[in-house]
Structures are given as structure tokens and as C-alpha cells.
Amino acid sequence: MSMDTEVWQVLGLAPTGDARAIKRAYAALLKQTSPEDDPEGFQRLREAYDEALKQAKAIAADATGEADGAAGQEAQDGRPERGARLPAWGEANRLALRRKSREAPEESERTEKRDPSEPATRRQEQPGASGTASSPEAPGAGRSGEVETFMRRLHSIYNDYASRIRIEAWSELLESGQLQDLAFKQEIQPELLRFLAAHYQLPLPVWRMLDRLFYWTEDEIGLTRLVPPEFAAFVIDSIRQPSELRFEFLPAAPDFDPDEFLGLRSRGASLLRSGRLREAVEDFDRACEMFGFDPDLLRLRATALHLLGEDLRAEEDWRAILHSYPGERDALLRLADRLLDTERASEALGLIRRALDLLPNDPAALLALARCLRELECFAEARQSCELALLLEPSDIELRIRLLELRELELEGLLRVLKRYPGDREARFAAGELLLELERYEECEALMTEAPLYGLTSGMKALLGRALLELDRAEEAAPLFDQAVETADSERPDGCYAKLRRGLFRLRLRDLQGAEADLLAAASLGAGGHELAAGLAVCAHSARRCEEALAYIDEALYGKPDSRYHHFRAHILYDLKRYEEAIAPLDLRLDFEQEPMPVFWMKGVCHMKIGQYEEAMEYLSRARSLDDSVTVRYRLAELYIRLERYEEAAAELQDVPNKDDALLLLLGYACRKLGRRGDALRCFVDAANLAPRDLRAARFALDELAAGGDIAALTYAERILEASPDDIETQMRRLSILFEYGRTAEARQALAEMLDRVSPGGVHPYIRHYAGTLLLDRREYAQAAEQLQYAYDAGLRDDTASLLSIARFETGMADEALRLAREVLAAEPEHADYRARLERMEGKSKTSGILRLLQGRPNRESWPFSVKLRPLLFAPRDEPPYDTEVVWT
Amino acid sequence: MMDESAYKRALQWAMALGAPLLESNDAEPPYAFEDCDFGVGGMLEEQWGVTEAYDVRNLAERMWAGMHNPSFQEIRLLLGGMTLAERRAYIGRIDRNTDRYADFYTVNLYMDRLPPAGIAAWDWGRLAFYVRCARMTGLIGEAEENAYLLNTALRARFAYRSWPDYAVAYMAGRQFWRRDISEEWSEINLGQLRSLLIGRRSLWRELEWEIDLPEPPNLPEYGRDER
């Protein structure tokens, strides 16, 4: 293969005299050929480019006057011109042609259906059918008229630079009704992509317009089916480019090649992004030689030069931008930075003010302003500027560093003033505040006390108090805060500063009532800020006004998103049982906490309370690994119980010394679940004795004792009933114990009281049982039957049913009595009483009902049913000794 | 030829590059070797796998080449092609809860103010501290420590213009590494620098940035058998 042919093959072009086409092809290939990744390829491309340009001149000279004709001939022959020579197109073209070839019949049909009046020849001459592609300038035989016209318009807009950068021109074409037609869109898409492969220097809005039409970014895979992946990536990058280089500044001179310029500029930008700064600057230089007034080009070059340390040249570029475009904010700020670095603050000041006019409250500009004012020795103004910037950009460490410097410088100035005018109390107070901010407390104290002749204002007294407080001399500080408030009150009503400071001081001493009064007074006088709000939150929380505390702490957080405030907020939410909400602020605190155990603990508990046991286990275990305290072990044991891991719960609590009542209850509960009733009983009784006022502990003791029929249960039952006389469960247990131990009179009285107190509908079935039994014992059978029937209907069986059978029998309902007696015996065939009762009923039942009535009321001798007052057994209530609610907020 | 006093000052200057970490380990200026008694423990081994002199050299070379700075610079270059407004819009589109957001946010915040060296101060400052730790654990001797320190100092001296500038770059690096752009961390970071910037005994105040530095000694070479 000859060198001549190879040159054109490398560029993907047919030999041409069109230098612009060669440049375009070269620029497109450059995007795919990196000198670093493929140095040989890059070298080959570069040589081909140079050689092609040389040959182009010769071709152009030879073909003068024939070029148009030749192109026309090519078109007539149906030979591919643009499709073959466009660099990024090669493979894409073939793919597209193959696709078209496959789709050709369908396309024909669709076209036919859409517009049957179209000439048949057109439908027959699809590019796929001929296997060739054609150029828009030289329409091939297979291209439809619509496509051809569209592509002509496309070329026309692109080739006229003024139209190319006019977005309206593109909107007119691309948003026309034609492209609403799906078939047309499908047909035009490959042509359009082919066009873009060679005509890609388009404003970003045009790329985005195309994307809205063809959904390339939404369907990248679809795009790679049409074009090679590299070109698809180029298209996507062009649409998604984060930086929009502007097109509108280029000159309209006829000898100016915008594509070459734009190619150099975009390649330079790409080199800049990849860190090849020197090469980037070379491209920018070449572009600048063509046209040196493009603000984007100058900005890019200045950026690259700055990164190369060539700030002098960069400065020239920034100046050049501002010369032509005085409103370029980037240039204003960058040039100001440069001027500040080279001690030209006065000149910088004007630039920064212009930048701030364009975008007020820009932290970067405010910092620059602060630097500038510092150089101009306007320290107070500089500090204000820095403080404002810090409010807007609190994470900026430079602002904090500069602020520290500025405070020092301002302080020096104030100290100089005080040397000359020691009676200037405002300057003294300001200097004192700066000393405090700079943590120079001893100097602050000295400054406040060195000129007693001039007296101390309220603010100065409070300031001195603060300094002493920082020096751990709280006792000396206390009267100073009081004096500050007194002075403020006597001098003028506005004692805001003094009250705020004394309030915060009192807060530190945990004098919460006094603190709250001062802080509220300060707030009413106009004080604000996060310290005040946080202080009020602490006061409200300590007074159990949690909702109010929450509002205050939110206010504090608004002023300063400090993790300690988040932590406190979590505490409040925890107390409000809003456990789920408490988790996020705890997470925020964890990042900063030096001693994370309490945070782990609270987070674990919060997770447990909302049923997230896995997370709860993680955090409580972490807390446990850091701390052996009862608080942690208690919650971990609770979690084990919730997870029914009773052995682990008991093990966690067993060896805790001096167990308190809550812990004993938890341990007792675990023991009960493990079947260790004796241990459980000991724990509950100990807990109830440790906390005699704790009804919950008394209930646990009562339950366990009553279940075992222990007369000691009465002690706890009475303790509970004293506080809670309507506690039915306790009443029942007491009753059962009274019956058990034959204290019938007390039982009867208790029962009568219970029946008096409770409405008939609300009477517990056990009470009915006992009432029925007592009535039966008094041979008041009808009333007994009524009570026992209630109990029976409520589900009580055994004794209830057996006693009911007696009552029924005695009221003449022998059949019903027998049925019940048999049912009871069937359930417990070995029960001697049940058997005896049935046998007696069966024997007696042989006597007719009338005869029995004639015999009159039976007595115990003649009709001795054994009515034993056997107590009912009460199993312990299965309620764990902790809040079981799952709180979802 | 530099006199002994100037040489000593130069070494102090170099050691002061590691002052933020030295101070947070309770070392006091001028950070003389004899006065450094903070617990180094197995820190070098745990954090960097440094167990012998060769590893110290290796660590130094990695730090000089840049540990976090290359990532910073990469983002800086990407953002460098954009205007300020484009940068803000670009970062605004990143999910705030991602590391990527923190990275881009930090770079954008500092990139225009930092010199071309970027956040190299963060790597070099840490190196000065680690070199001292290496000497304290007996991995290297005084001569080696001086060589590492002076080689680091030479880089820092011409990359930044002042101690506050160095401090900004150092802490910007720390923020970039931590990926934490919260106000609270910013305050904590300042706390680490406070005494250095305004303290009466601070080496940063005592030693001018534009100090004369000696020709750095050759770095120790380690043969295969010494590894």
C-alpha cells in the first residue's frame, strides 16, 4: 500500500482537496487517539494529518473548477462519499447499513402506507437496498426526498456559523412536525449521527435538543447499535458535558476557521481535565493565535497556567477577559486572588466589590474581601466580612484560620487605642471579648481589672465573670454576674448581655430555675442565638416540659448544627418515647463522641423499643463491651428476655451486686420462664420489699405467692388494694387465699364489697363463682344457681360446673343437674367429690320431683352434699416487668 | 555552608510541619526528640505496615508522591474546566449523602485558593510526624530523620507561601480525607491549629516561613539484605 493511500486511510477520508474536511477528521480522530495510551497511533495520525494537508493543496490546485462536478458525479454513481470518509463513521456506517438492509422491506411498506402517492422509484431506492450510503450534499439514489431536504437544511445551518450558534434556527428544524413522525425519525437518525460524526462543534443546547428527540442518553445501548461505541460515548459526553463552552464570541471573519478554533479549544479543555497541562496550554496558545478574545478560551488557559505555576501569564489572561467582558465573575475573583497574592490589595478591592455586586453573599468573594481589607488594615471590617462568610460556609477552615488572625490583629489595634485612651470602655470591652475568643483568659482578666478608675460597665463585669469561669474560679465569677445584672438594671433597662451570661453561668452551676429566669429575661430583651436556645431547652427538659425543650433545641440546632445539641435532642425524644426519631440524632453524635457508650446504650434501647432487635443487640453489646454498669446490663437482659433468651438474661443479671428492684424483677421473670419458681419468688419478694411503694413489684410477689397458695400473698394483696382498691386481679387472689386458709368471714365480706362495688355486668366470673359457692353454702340455691350460671357461661368449669349442678338439682332441675354432674365427672373421673355428688343425685333423682317438693327443703343431714369452698388457682400473670409497647412514631 | 544554629532552626522548621499531629499527641514545641514521649506503640505498623527502616523510606516516597493529593488534584482538574457557576451546579446534582459529594464539595471549596501543590501539606505534615514516630520506635536514627525532614521541608517551603497557607492546605487535606464537611469538624480542626497559629510558644510564629533551608542530605539507601 502506498504512502499516499495510507494517509487517507488513517484519516478515514477519500483523497480530497478540502482542508477543512481533513481538519475535522483529524479533530474527531484525536478524541479517540491518546498520545499516552497509543503513542504510535497518535504519531501515525499526526503524520497522516500533515501529509494529507500537503496533498490536499495539490489536489485542490489540480481540481480547481472540477470539484463540484466530480462530487455531482459521485452522487449520481451512488458512490459513498461522506459515509466512506468520515472518521468516526466507518464502522457505524456499516452497522447502520446492515440495519437498514434488514429493515428495508418494512421501511418500504411503511412508506407505502404513509404516502402511496410517492414515486415508486424512491421506495425502491432505499440506501440499504443499494448497499451504499450517500452524502447529504450529494443525495444518493436511495434517499427519500424528505430526508434529503432535512439533511440539506441541517448542513445549511451548520455551515453558516451565525446560524449554527443560533438556537432558534435549530429549534425550527428539529422541533418541526416532521420529526414527530416516528418513521421519519427512525430514518433520519443514522443520517443525523453520520452528520454529527463530522459536524460536532455544536452548542450544548443543540446537543440536548437532539437528545430530547432521539433519547440517546436514555438508551445508550440503542445508540451503540447505530454507531461504534467510541462515537456513542462521544455523543453522550457531548450531551452531558458539565461545562458549556460558549460559541458566540467568535469572529465572523471569512478567513477564520471556527471549527479549527473550537477543536483546539475543546481538545485543550479535555487535556486540562486529564492533567496534561502543558499540552493543553499549547492547544490554547494555538487557538489564541487564531482568536485571542474568547473568554472561555482565556479562562481555560489561565486555569492551566495557574496550575503550572505560571501566574504572571495567567494574570494577563484574566485581565484580557475583563478588558473585553468586565462582568465575567470568574475572572474578577481569580484576578483579585492574584493581586492579593502579590500585595496589590487596593486594586483587588474594586474587583471583589464588582464580583459581590454580581453575586452578593458569595462566601468565596467575602473571604477575598476579608483578605483584602486585612491587607488594607481595616481589621474590624475584614472580621465582619469573614464572619459573614463563615455563616454562609461554616465548613470552610480557611475562614476560621483567617478569622483567628483577624481577631489577633484587631486586638492589637484595640490595645494600642487603650494605651492612649485607657478610659475608652467600649474599646476595653471589645478587646476583652477578643481575648476571650482567643482563649487568653488571664489577659482578659488583667484588661478588665487594670483600670478600675474608669469603672466597669455591666458588659465588662459579665466578661470578667466569663474569664474567671474559664480560669476555674467560679466562686469569684458568681458575684460578678450578679453585679453585671444589677448594673444593667440600674443603668438602663437593657441588661440583655448580663442576663444571658448570668443565665448561662447558672446553667453551668445547675441552678436551673435561676438560669431559666435569666435566659427568658435575656430572650425578652432581644437576645438570641443557639446558646440561649440550648440553655432554655435544658431548663425545660429538667422541668419535664419535653415538648417545649424539643422546640428550643430545634431552635439551637437551626443556629448551630452541633452534634451535642443533636444528642440532647435525642434525649428529649427518648423521654417522649419517640424512639425511632431519636436514632438519627444519635447517629450524628456518634461521629464526634469521645466516650460513645451512652450513645450506644441509648441507640440500643431505642432500637429495642421499636422492635429492631438485631440493631439493638449490636449497640447494647457495644455499650456492654465498654461499660459494665447496671444500666447497660439491665437493658441487655431486657433484650434477651424479649428475644426469649432467658438463660442469657439470667446470666447477665445474676452476679450484679446490690440488685435494685427493677433488676430483681427482670431476673425473677427470667427465672420464672426458666421454671426456677423458687428463685423467681425470692426475686419478686425481695423487689417488693426493696420498693414497698412499687405496686408492680408487689404484684409480681403477690402473683407468685398466690399461685403457690402462700398466705404471705395477703400482705402484698393488701398493699396493692390500699393504693388501688378496684384491682380485680388482686382481689381475686386475696379471696382465693382467704378461702384457702378458711377465713370465710373475711372472704364473705370481701366478696360482698366486691359485689357492691362492681356493676352486675362487670363482675368477674371468679367472683360469680365465689358468690355462688357462698350462697350454696347458705342453701340459697336459686341465687347460687344464678351466680354460678354466669361463671359457667363465662367459661369456668370443674368446681363451678359441679356446684352449679347441685344448685340446679336443689331447684328442681334434676335433668340439667345430672347432665352437668356427668359432664364434670367425665372430665375428671377420679374426683371423689364429683363422683359422690353424681351418685347422690342419681339416687335421689329416683324420687319424683313432686315427692321431693313435698318432703320440703332438704337439710344437710338428709341431703348432705359436700360443698367444699375450694379456692380457685390463679396462675401468675404473664406480663414482663418492662414497657412492652412498640412505639412507632 | 549553613552554620549550626541556622541548621538547627531549619530542622525545627521541618519538624514544625508535623506540628498539628505532634500537638495533638501532647508534644510541646520545639518538639525536641528528647521531649517527645507520647505513645507510638504499634501505630506505624498498624496504620502503614512499617516495621523496618526500608518501610520508612517507602512510606516517605509514597507521601512525597501524594497519598490523597492525587485524588484531590484529579477532581480539581475536572472542575477546573468549568466556570464557578457550572461547578456549583455540577456539585448540586450529586447526591449529598455520598462520598463523591463530600469529595467534590471539598475540592470546590479550596481549589481556587490553594497553590498548585494542592493538599500536599496534609501528606507532608503527616510524614514529618511519622518520621519522628519512626525514630522514637528505633526504626531510624537521627541522621535519617533529618534527611527525611529536610527533604520534606524543601518541598513544602516552595509549595506554600506562609504557615497559615500551609495550615489551610493541611486542614483542607484532612477534610478531604475524612470526607467531613460539617461545621463541627471544621471547629475541631481549627482547635488543632489554634495554639499553632496564635499560641505564644508556637514554632509557626517563631520561625518565619521563608526560612533558609540547607541542601537536604542524601536519603538512606537500603540494600536487599537490609529489607
Side-chain angles (χ1 to χ4, degrees):
Chain A
M1 192 179 292
S2 76
M3 169 66 180
D4 286 358
T5 323
E6 199 178 328
V7 163
W8 299 108
Q9 272 193 343
V10 169
L11 290 170
L13 291 173
T16 176
D18 183 354
R20 287 173 65 172
I22 295 167
K23 285 174 187 173
R24 275 192 220 116
Y26 173 62
L29 284 169
L30 266 182
K31 288 183 184 294
Q32 304 162 23
T33 315
S34 152
E36 277 182 1
D37 300 338
D38 181 13
E40 284 179 13
F42 179 74
Q43 181 68 20
R44 206 163 44 243
L45 177 64
R46 183 73 212 184
E47 284 169 9
Y49 173 64
D50 292 339
E51 182 58 30
L53 281 177
K54 275 186 208 163
Q55 289 187 28
K57 277 185 190 168
I59 293 169
D62 292 348
T64 308
E66 297 170 19
D68 287 346
Q73 188 59 48
E74 272 181 349
Q76 281 169 16
D77 294 344
R79 274 190 283 139
E81 185 213 7
R82 204 166 192 80
R85 67 180 165 82
L86 289 177
W89 186 236
E91 190 187 345
N93 187 30
R94 286 193 294 280
L95 281 168
L97 292 177
R98 276 203 293 276
R99 256 169 61 86
K100 280 205 156 196
S101 170
R102 283 197 301 273
E103 291 166 2
E106 291 171 25
E107 287 290 322
S108 303
E109 280 169 27
R110 196 160 46 234
T111 313
E112 193 163 11
K113 278 176 196 160
R114 192 179 68 229
D115 188 1
S117 66
E118 269 189 357
T121 47
R122 274 198 185 160
R123 293 198 296 275
Q124 286 158 6
E125 290 169 4
Q126 292 292 325
S130 66
T132 57
S134 51
S135 140
E137 292 95 337
R143 171 167 299 152
S144 76
E146 280 177 275
V147 171
E148 188 182 322
T149 311
F150 184 89
M151 292 308 292
R152 278 221 171 96
R153 286 182 63 196
L154 202 65
H155 276 266
S156 156
I157 293 173
Y158 190 91
N159 289 335
D160 173 21
Y161 191 77
S163 300
R164 191 198 306 181
I165 64 171
R166 204 167 63 84
I167 306 306
E168 296 76 25
W170 292 96
S171 307
E172 219 172 281
L173 176 66
L174 297 174
E175 289 167 6
S176 65
Q178 220 175 5
L179 278 169
Q180 306 303 315
D181 181 340
L182 188 63
F184 182 76
K185 253 170 85 172
Q186 282 180 339
E187 196 176 348
I188 202 74
Q189 188 172 201
E191 295 292 330
L192 189 66
L193 285 165
R194 182 210 303 241
F195 168 83
L196 288 173
H199 306 83
Y200 49 83
Q201 296 294 358
L202 288 167
L204 180 59
V206 178
W207 279 109
R208 292 195 176 148
M209 212 182 289
L210 288 166
D211 187 44
R212 281 198 298 276
L213 278 169
F214 294 101
Y215 312 108
W216 291 325
T217 51
E218 284 175 34
D219 182 17
E220 290 184 37
I221 295 171
L223 181 62
T224 52
R225 288 198 191 108
L226 291 172
V227 294
E230 299 79 16
F231 184 62
F234 169 75
V235 170
I236 299 297
D237 286 349
S238 300
I239 295 162
R240 288 188 177 149
Q241 54 186 296
S243 173
E244 180 181 357
L245 296 175
R246 292 165 291 183
F247 281 59
E248 60 265 32
F249 299 103
L250 305 197
D255 57 338
F256 178 73
D257 180 352
D259 285 319
E260 186 179 357
F261 174 88
L262 294 171
L264 286 165
R265 188 179 72 167
S266 64
R267 194 167 72 116
S270 167
L271 289 166
L272 170 63
R273 277 197 295 275
S274 58
R276 287 149 59 186
L277 302 174
R278 188 57 66 192
E279 291 166 73
V281 170
E282 281 170 16
D283 273 0
F284 293 142
D285 285 346
R286 284 172 62 198
C288 266
E289 281 168 21
M290 294 176 70
F291 176 63
F293 300 98
D294 175 54
D296 287 339
L297 174 66
L298 291 168
R299 175 176 58 78
L300 290 168
R301 187 168 72 170
T303 303
L305 287 168
H306 170 64
L307 291 172
L308 285 166
E310 295 181 25
D311 283 315
L312 202 59
R313 277 192 69 197
E315 181 183 330
E316 286 170 17
D317 282 346
W318 295 125
R319 281 189 190 283
I321 295 172
L322 289 174
H323 180 75
S324 305
Y325 313 99
E328 289 281 311
R329 205 169 65 86
D330 292 54
L332 286 167
L333 286 173
R334 294 292 77 78
L335 181 58
D337 279 344
R338 165 73 185 155
L339 295 171
L340 280 168
D341 290 345
T342 47
E343 297 174 7
R344 288 175 285 173
S346 301
E347 195 185 341
L349 186 61
L351 299 175
I352 295 163
R353 290 209 162 122
R354 276 161 61 192
L356 278 166
D357 283 345
L358 291 167
L359 185 67
N361 290 339
D362 170 24
L366 287 168
L367 172 62
L369 180 63
R371 286 177 63 200
C372 209
L373 292 166
R374 176 194 183 279
E375 293 305 311
L376 299 170
E377 300 195 2
C378 304
F379 301 128
E381 293 91 331
R383 183 163 68 94
Q384 283 165 8
S385 178
C386 225
E387 281 171 346
L388 176 58
L390 196 58
L391 270 178
L392 298 160
E393 188 53 88
S395 57
D396 191 331
I397 191 75
E398 179 168 9
L399 285 168
R400 292 182 191 278
I401 290 172
R402 303 291 175 209
L403 198 53
L404 210 57
E405 284 180 303
L406 285 166
R407 282 178 178 147
E408 248 197 337
L409 290 167
E410 197 184 346
L411 174 67
E412 283 168 19
L414 287 167
L415 292 177
R416 278 198 297 274
V417 169
L418 283 173
K419 269 193 180 164
R420 292 180 67 189
Y421 309 106
D424 186 341
R425 297 198 300 185
E426 274 186 26
R428 192 170 293 276
F429 176 74
E433 277 224 302
L434 286 168
L435 282 167
L436 209 66
E437 283 166 8
L438 292 166
E439 299 178 4
R440 288 156 64 174
Y441 307 120
E442 281 166 358
E443 289 169 73
C444 181
E445 182 193 359
L447 192 75
M448 291 299 112
T449 52
E450 71 185 6
L453 189 66
Y454 302 102
L456 294 177
T457 62
S458 163
M460 287 160 76
K461 284 174 186 167
L463 200 60
L464 180 57
R466 289 174 68 193
L468 292 174
L469 204 55
E470 294 294 344
L471 292 165
D472 284 333
R473 288 154 59 188
E475 281 183 18
E476 291 170 69
L480 283 163
F481 286 115
D482 289 339
Q483 287 169 28
V485 172
E486 281 163 25
T487 311
D489 287 343
S490 62
E491 282 176 354
R492 50 188 176 152
D494 180 15
C496 179
Y497 181 84
K499 281 181 178 144
L500 171 65
R501 288 297 148 197
R502 189 175 69 173
L504 294 173
F505 169 69
R506 283 175 162 176
L507 197 66
R508 200 161 154 166
L509 298 179
R510 302 299 296 169
D511 169 12
L512 298 171
Q513 223 172 341
E516 188 166 30
D518 276 347
L519 294 175
L520 286 171
S524 70
L525 291 168
H530 62 93
E531 272 184 305
L532 175 74
L536 285 169
V538 172
C539 296
H541 182 248
S542 70
R544 299 270 160 215
R545 303 193 313 265
C546 289
E547 292 288 357
E548 194 183 327
L550 190 63
Y552 278 128
I553 203 66
D554 283 343
E555 194 181 322
L557 277 164
Y558 182 75
K560 186 176 163 69
D562 193 296
S563 70
R564 283 165 303 184
Y565 295 162
H566 282 299
H567 194 189
F568 190 59
R569 186 169 189 273
H571 265 281
I572 300 169
L573 289 166
Y574 180 88
D575 287 346
L576 286 166
K577 300 194 174 184
R578 287 159 66 176
Y579 302 115
E580 195 176 17
E581 285 173 77
I583 291 171
L586 288 170
D587 282 335
L588 288 168
R589 180 59 192 159
L590 266 180
D591 239 7
F592 299 94
E593 187 61 70
Q594 302 284 322
E595 291 168 8
M597 194 289 287
V599 185
F600 287 151
W601 176 84
M602 189 173 275
K603 201 162 144 48
V605 175
C606 287
H607 280 297
M608 181 170 75
K609 293 285 186 184
I610 58 171
Q612 294 175 345
Y613 294 144
E614 206 173 306
E615 293 85 347
M617 185 57 80
E618 181 191 340
Y619 285 99
L620 286 174
S621 302
R622 284 163 82 174
R624 177 77 169 82
S625 69
L626 295 171
D627 190 287
D628 197 24
S629 71
V630 176
T631 324
V632 178
R633 295 175 74 166
Y634 175 87
R635 289 302 187 180
L636 195 54
E638 181 184 331
L639 180 60
Y640 283 133
I641 289 176
R642 284 170 186 263
L643 293 166
E644 298 181 8
R645 289 159 63 176
Y646 303 113
E647 285 284 3
E648 283 151 293
E652 193 60 58
L653 300 174
Q654 202 76 55
D655 61 341
V656 174
N658 306 319
K659 297 177 186 69
D660 66 5
D661 55 315
L663 203 132
L664 281 166
L665 290 183
L666 213 55
L667 178 58
Y669 187 78
C671 290
R672 181 198 281 168
K673 288 288 183 182
L674 290 167
R676 289 158 48 188
R677 304 298 295 263
D679 290 338
L681 178 61
R682 266 190 299 281
C683 285
F684 294 144
V685 169
D686 286 352
N689 293 339
L690 266 175
R693 287 169 178 277
D694 182 353
L695 295 188
R696 190 173 58 164
R699 282 197 185 100
F700 271 99
L702 167 69
D703 277 16
E704 210 62 40
L705 288 164
D710 193 323
I711 195 162
L714 289 177
T715 311
Y716 301 102
E718 274 149 24
R719 191 187 288 177
I720 297 162
L721 289 171
E722 196 177 323
S724 178
D726 292 331
D727 185 338
I728 192 80
E729 292 278 346
T730 301
Q731 288 169 344
M732 303 304 307
R733 283 170 174 77
R734 179 166 175 267
L735 211 53
S736 80
I737 296 295
L738 288 173
F739 278 124
E740 175 83 29
Y741 287 91
R743 292 160 67 170
T744 322
E746 288 169 77
R748 191 167 287 136
Q749 190 190 342
L751 199 57
E753 284 169 11
M754 283 161 72
L755 287 167
D756 279 352
R757 232 186 338 255
V758 186
S759 64
V763 177
H764 196 280
Y766 281 14
I767 297 176
R768 301 279 192 189
H769 168 88
Y770 282 122
T773 309
L774 288 171
L775 288 164
L776 204 63
D777 193 43
R778 281 162 29 194
R779 301 187 183 179
E780 294 173 18
Y781 297 116
Q783 292 95 321
E786 191 185 343
Q787 296 293 341
L788 289 166
Q789 186 65 50
Y790 266 117
Y792 182 85
D793 291 345
L796 298 190
R797 292 290 181 269
D798 305 333
D799 268 12
T800 309
S802 181
L803 295 174
L804 178 60
S805 74
I806 296 171
R808 291 285 177 231
F809 195 83
E810 294 296 354
T811 51
M813 298 171 72
D815 292 344
E816 173 68 6
L818 279 167
R819 188 189 63 75
L820 280 166
R822 283 177 189 135
E823 181 187 296
V824 174
L825 187 64
E828 283 190 64
E830 303 303 317
H831 201 295
D833 284 343
Y834 297 168
R835 179 171 298 280
R837 285 170 190 167
L838 179 62
E839 282 170 359
R840 280 167 196 273
M841 278 183 209
E842 282 171 339
K844 196 68 187 171
S845 68
K846 288 169 187 164
T847 309
S848 71
I850 297 164
L851 184 59
R852 275 199 295 115
L853 285 172
L854 286 172
Q855 283 176 339
R857 291 179 63 189
N859 55 41
R860 287 184 87 82
E861 288 75 34
S862 62
W863 192 245
F865 274 115
S866 167
V867 182
K868 288 180 182 170
L869 291 178
R870 295 197 319 157
L872 295 168
L873 284 179
F874 289 90
R877 285 163 280 193
D878 192 22
E879 285 169 17
Y882 49 75
D883 294 337
T884 49
E885 84 280 31
V886 174
V887 181
W888 292 100
T889 51
Chain B
M1 182 70 182
M2 188 172 265
D3 66 38
E4 195 179 330
S5 159
Y7 190 80
K8 193 179 163 192
R9 275 171 64 79
L11 277 174
Q12 281 185 349
W13 191 98
M15 195 71 246
L17 293 172
L21 278 173
L22 286 162
E23 291 272 334
S24 57
N25 280 282
D26 297 329
E28 289 187 1
Y31 319 115
F33 175 70
E34 300 74 34
D35 299 334
C36 286
D37 60 355
F38 52 86
V40 178
M43 182 182 63
L44 283 176
E45 184 177 358
E46 281 164 24
Q47 291 185 11
W48 302 101
V50 171
T51 56
E52 55 183 328
Y54 172 81
D55 298 331
V56 180
R57 168 75 189 260
N58 200 278
L59 177 65
E61 278 173 357
R62 284 166 65 198
M63 291 284 197
W64 287 329
M67 301 283 272
H68 300 113
N69 201 24
S71 314
F72 182 94
Q73 301 284 35
E74 197 179 312
I75 299 172
R76 183 187 206 178
L77 289 166
L78 175 65
L79 295 176
M82 304 180 199
T83 64
L84 294 169
E86 283 171 341
R87 274 155 51 180
R88 197 165 47 235
Y90 183 80
I91 293 163
R93 286 194 294 271
I94 304 173
D95 180 354
R96 279 174 172 261
N97 300 313
T98 58
D99 288 346
R100 182 177 156 80
Y101 179 80
D103 288 349
F104 275 70
Y105 189 94
T106 312
V107 174
N108 184 47
L109 194 59
Y110 297 109
M111 59 183 275
D112 297 322
R113 310 179 218 155
L114 293 178
I119 57 165
W122 166 239
D123 291 330
W124 297 339
R126 285 185 303 152
L127 178 60
F129 172 73
Y130 292 138
V131 164
R132 170 52 52 89
C133 292
R135 188 176 163 202
M136 285 169 73
T137 45
L139 295 177
I140 57 170
E142 184 181 0
E144 288 158 300
E145 183 190 55
N146 291 351
Y148 288 124
L149 285 176
L150 290 172
N151 271 285
T152 309
L154 205 63
R155 288 169 164 82
R157 163 74 179 79
F158 295 101
Y160 300 100
R161 284 188 302 261
S162 65
W163 284 111
D165 282 0
Y166 171 80
V168 171
Y170 180 90
M171 277 306 171
R174 187 174 153 79
Q175 272 181 319
F176 182 71
W177 162 70
R178 269 199 69 89
R179 290 185 163 133
D180 195 308
I181 47 178
S182 70
E183 178 178 354
E184 199 164 349
W185 267 114
S186 175
E187 276 179 3
I188 291 169
N189 290 340
L190 181 76
Q192 219 180 39
L193 296 177
R194 183 179 275 270
S195 67
L196 292 164
L197 291 164
I198 59 171
R200 291 289 160 91
R201 295 182 57 217
S202 166
L203 277 189
W204 286 11
R205 289 171 75 99
E206 190 188 321
L207 301 168
E208 70 281 9
W209 181 262
E210 291 88 2
I211 197 169
D212 285 334
L213 291 169
E215 182 75 23
N218 287 334
L219 292 166
E221 292 292 338
Y222 300 99
R224 185 176 279 273
D225 53 335
E226 285 172 275
R227 290 180 53 179

